[in-house]
Amino acid sequence: MFKKLLIANRGEIALRIVRACREIGITAVTIYSEADRNSLHVRHADEAYLVGPAPARESYLNGGRIIEIAKEAGADAVHPGYGFLAENADFAQACVDAGLTWVGPSPECIRTLGDKVQARKLMQEAGIPVVPGSEEVTSQGKAASAATRIGYPIMVKAAAGGGGRGIRTVYRPQELPTALEAASKEAASAFGHGALYLEKFLDPVRHIEMQIIADGRGNVVPLGERECSIQRRHQKMIEEAPSTAVSPKLRRQLEEMALRAARATGYTSVGTLEFLVDRKGRANFLEMNTRLQVEHPVTEMVTGVDLVADQILVAAGEDIPYREVPMQGWAIECRIAAEDPFNDFLPSVGTVSFVSVPGGPGVRVDSALYDGLEISYYYDPLIAKLCTWGRTRLEAIQRMRRALREFKIVGINTNIPFHLQVMEDSHFIQGKLDTGFVEKRFAGRKENGLREEQVALLAAAVLAHRKGSQRGPAPGRRPESSDWRRRNRPGRSEAGARGWQRST
Ligand code: MV4
């Protein structure tokens, strides 16, 4: 087993990996940028090294410097977390060349599966159905003929990257040239390669992913699916496990395809296969993620598995200690972001002057929040993952509503109001989800400005306050005490009004 592991990441996922190291008994070494000097992942680590200035490209993306620190610290292994360099095959290879164990799949796997065109080809060869589409389109003309063959609407996607960057949906041929230009430019800046491919735009569908873990002895264990259809501008917002659309039969099919894909690619470590599932329950392969994912906690909550600890154990050459893991109950994750849902989800920067996280039965908060945390533009606006578990989906939803209302973050705007609206949405509660959910259910919502009832409440409060201050204290009530402490000690309601950010 490793003695010392360097975590090449920041924020909540770095803290999550520190915790796994603590439980295994590995010394946790973290890196931090100048902007993250006081971060929780630094404070909780055994050792912490300054990696560079705030901009990611000079710190968390500075692979050479990270490897230098790993060697300086005497680390045996490197855990990349997610994002940053987590799926950078060159960085993974450089770690291996420096004598460090990479906590993740092999650099070859990362490279092959990171090329989405190559990944599709591999899956087809393994007999796994893929979303109808093309190989790389190397010119406008070739793209136009491929699009005609596939049939509009289509999606233009970046061969070198997944998630949401370098993606465009094209409904008509005349839109194609502009979409190709834009997607290629975005892909080049995000992934360093502008190569593109096309897929038939499937709609409505569900975005369902299958978690697996594979060790070095050919053991591949599926750990259930996650529903990821609630996305906004290609950013996941809410995930859950299991999915209301996955029957036991479909689950077995997804598991079988995932196992076949892992074997066909010699995959090791944790990994996720993404599928699009149509109304008839037919699954088509979309892409494979060669990293630990943001939403791993929902799988951990329904299986009891510690995915991060097991990923480290597998990297250290140990066998996976289980073969079959059923899911129990239901888990939901809301990604809490420093964004303003009343202002088109624009990032919200500033100081978190006060934070109080929810707790109680079936509630998990993965965050690196603390009083005084500076939220900047340098990094992703994700500031916490709020997860709830219930015996049933409804119990998990009710718990999520309660936990969202309990979650207080003063000093910046967050998307908590959006999550509360989803948890109260009739279609969501009935499990009527698909990739069009946010567009259909929330596009027309009054995101700008307060809702009517909030305006009415505020007006009533202002009027009541004005009347009260003109008349003096209501009959039967003590006049304002001369004792300043009484005057300044707010009652519960006052604290509620004064101290808390409105969460709805
Ligand atoms: C798709 C798709 C439909 N057809 N690809 C890929 C990246 C991820 N962020 C969303 N992705 C999708 N890829 C084809 N060929 C649907 C999605 C998708 C989605 C698309 C638009 C709006 C919301 C969505 C939520 C989940 C998945």
Side-chain angles (χ1 to χ4, degrees), residues 67-68 70-71 75 92-101:
I67 290 172
E68 274 173 13
K71 300 305 285 177
Q93 189 57 57
C95 289
V96 172
D97 295 346
L100 299 160
T101 298

Side-chain angles (χ1 to χ4, degrees), residues 120 131-133 153-157 161-165 167 169 171 197-208 227-236 274-276 285-287 434-439:
R120 284 165 49 87
V131 175
I154 59 160
M155 282 192 113
V156 178
K157 293 189 174 182
R165 289 174 295 183
I167 278 196
T169 306
Y171 295 92
Y197 66 103
L198 308 184
E199 285 183 347
K200 176 84 181 153
F201 178 54
L202 303 182
D203 181 45
V205 282
R206 296 243 193 170
H207 187 186
I208 308 244
E227 169 78 63
C228 301
S229 296
I230 299 187
Q231 301 191 20
R232 182 178 177 278
R233 294 186 187 168
H234 294 301
Q235 297 305 315
K236 292 174 180 170
E274 295 189 10
F275 297 91
L276 294 178
F285 172 83
L286 199 55
E287 58 185 287
D434 62 37
T435 52
F437 178 85
V438 172
E439 186 56 35

Side-chain angles (χ1 to χ4, degrees), residues 178-195:
T178 314
L180 291 166
E181 283 296 316
S184 186
K185 197 162 156 241
E186 204 174 296
S189 73
F191 311 114
H193 303 288

Side-chain angles (χ1 to χ4, degrees), residues 98-238:
L100 299 160
T101 298
W102 175 258
V103 181
S106 67
E108 297 72 35
C109 258
I110 297 173
R111 199 179 306 283
T112 307
L113 293 166
D115 175 339
K116 304 304 171 186
V117 173
Q118 180 72 357
R120 284 165 49 87
K121 220 178 278 176
L122 270 172
M123 298 305 155
Q124 282 171 302
E125 287 159 8
I128 294 164
V130 303
V131 175
S134 75
E135 298 202 0
E136 185 185 344
V137 287
T138 51
S139 73
Q140 294 264 357
K142 286 178 181 158
S145 51
T148 306
R149 173 178 57 79
I150 293 166
Y152 288 88
I154 59 160
M155 282 192 113
V156 178
K157 293 189 174 182
R165 289 174 295 183
I167 278 196
R168 291 294 183 282
T169 306
V170 182
Y171 295 92
R172 285 172 294 281
Q174 54 270 39
E175 297 166 5
L176 186 59
T178 314
L180 291 166
E181 283 296 316
S184 186
K185 197 162 156 241
E186 204 174 296
S189 73
F191 311 114
H193 303 288
L196 302 173
Y197 66 103
L198 308 184
E199 285 183 347
K200 176 84 181 153
F201 178 54
L202 303 182
D203 181 45
V205 282
R206 296 243 193 170
H207 187 186
I208 308 244
E209 57 189 29
M210 175 56 69
Q211 178 71 61
I212 59 164
I213 182 167
D215 62 22
R217 284 167 198 69
N219 301 306
V220 185
V221 181
L223 289 169
E225 81 275 2
R226 291 186 290 260
E227 169 78 63
C228 301
S229 296
I230 299 187
Q231 301 191 20
R232 182 178 177 278
R233 294 186 187 168
H234 294 301
Q235 297 305 315
K236 292 174 180 170
M237 298 196 77
I238 297 173

